[in-house]
Amino acid sequence: VDFLNRHDRSALMARVKQKNTGPEILIRKSLHRLGYRYRLHSKTLPGRPDLVFPKRRKVIFVHGCFWHSHCKCKLATVPKTNTAYWVPKLAGNAKRDIQKTRQLRKQGWGVITVWQCQLNNIVKVITRLERFLR
Ligand SMILES: [Zn+2]
């Protein structure tokens, strides 16, 4: 599936590498360009999902690997200083993510998580999201 022309794709790829552009914005823009419409950071839903598709009853989380302790990911390192603070803090974040996902599914929402490290291949991510949203 090739839904972005070469120019768009390289623009997207360039943007992934820029520091101040959140991965979430990249996903938002890609999906918007493909015609998907969504709400952002719904405060009424567990975990405040990043993107919400009310009619499809689906939500997308975009997680930073560090903050959300992406399992077996090299970006999910524990800082070597202040370890006693970080270990429970990061573990707590991960635990909360699991709880929120469970709550959402119980309410009938489809839930998918995109990880920061997966954005090296934005085409693959968007393809997966399109399949999820369909
Ligand atoms: Zn990761």
Coordinates of all heavy atoms in Angstrom, one line a residue, residues 12-13 58 65 76 88-89 110:
L12 N 7.9 13.4 5.4 CA 7.5 12.8 6.7 C 8.7 12.2 7.4 O 8.9 12.4 8.5 CB 6.5 11.7 6.4 CG 5.0 12.1 6.3 CD1 4.2 10.9 5.9 CD2 4.5 12.7 7.5
M13 N 9.5 11.5 6.6 CA 10.7 10.8 7.2 C 11.6 11.9 7.8 O 12.2 11.7 8.8 CB 11.4 10.0 6.1 CG 10.7 8.8 5.6 SD 10.0 7.8 6.9 CE 11.5 7.0 7.5
K58 N -13.0 3.8 18.4 CA -11.6 3.4 18.5 C -10.7 4.5 19.0 O -11.0 5.7 18.7 CB -11.1 2.9 17.1 CG -11.8 1.6 16.8 CD -11.4 1.1 15.4 CE -12.2 -0.3 15.2 NZ -12.0 -0.8 13.9
C65 N 8.7 5.7 24.3 CA 9.2 4.4 24.8 C 9.8 4.6 26.2 O 9.6 3.7 27.1 CB 10.3 3.9 23.9 SG 9.6 3.5 22.3
A76 N 13.9 2.5 26.1 CA 13.3 2.4 27.4 C 14.3 2.1 28.5 O 14.2 1.1 29.1 CB 12.1 1.4 27.4
P88 N 10.3 2.9 40.3 CA 8.8 2.9 40.6 C 8.0 3.8 39.7 O 6.8 3.5 39.4 CB 8.7 3.3 42.0 CG 10.0 3.8 42.4 CD 11.1 3.4 41.4
K89 N 8.6 5.0 39.4 CA 7.8 5.9 38.6 C 7.5 5.4 37.2 O 6.3 5.4 36.8 CB 8.7 7.2 38.4 CG 8.3 8.1 37.3 CD 7.7 9.3 37.8 CE 7.2 10.3 36.7 NZ 6.0 10.9 37.0
G110 N -12.1 0.0 20.9 CA -10.9 -0.6 20.3 C -9.7 0.2 20.6 O -9.7 1.5 20.5

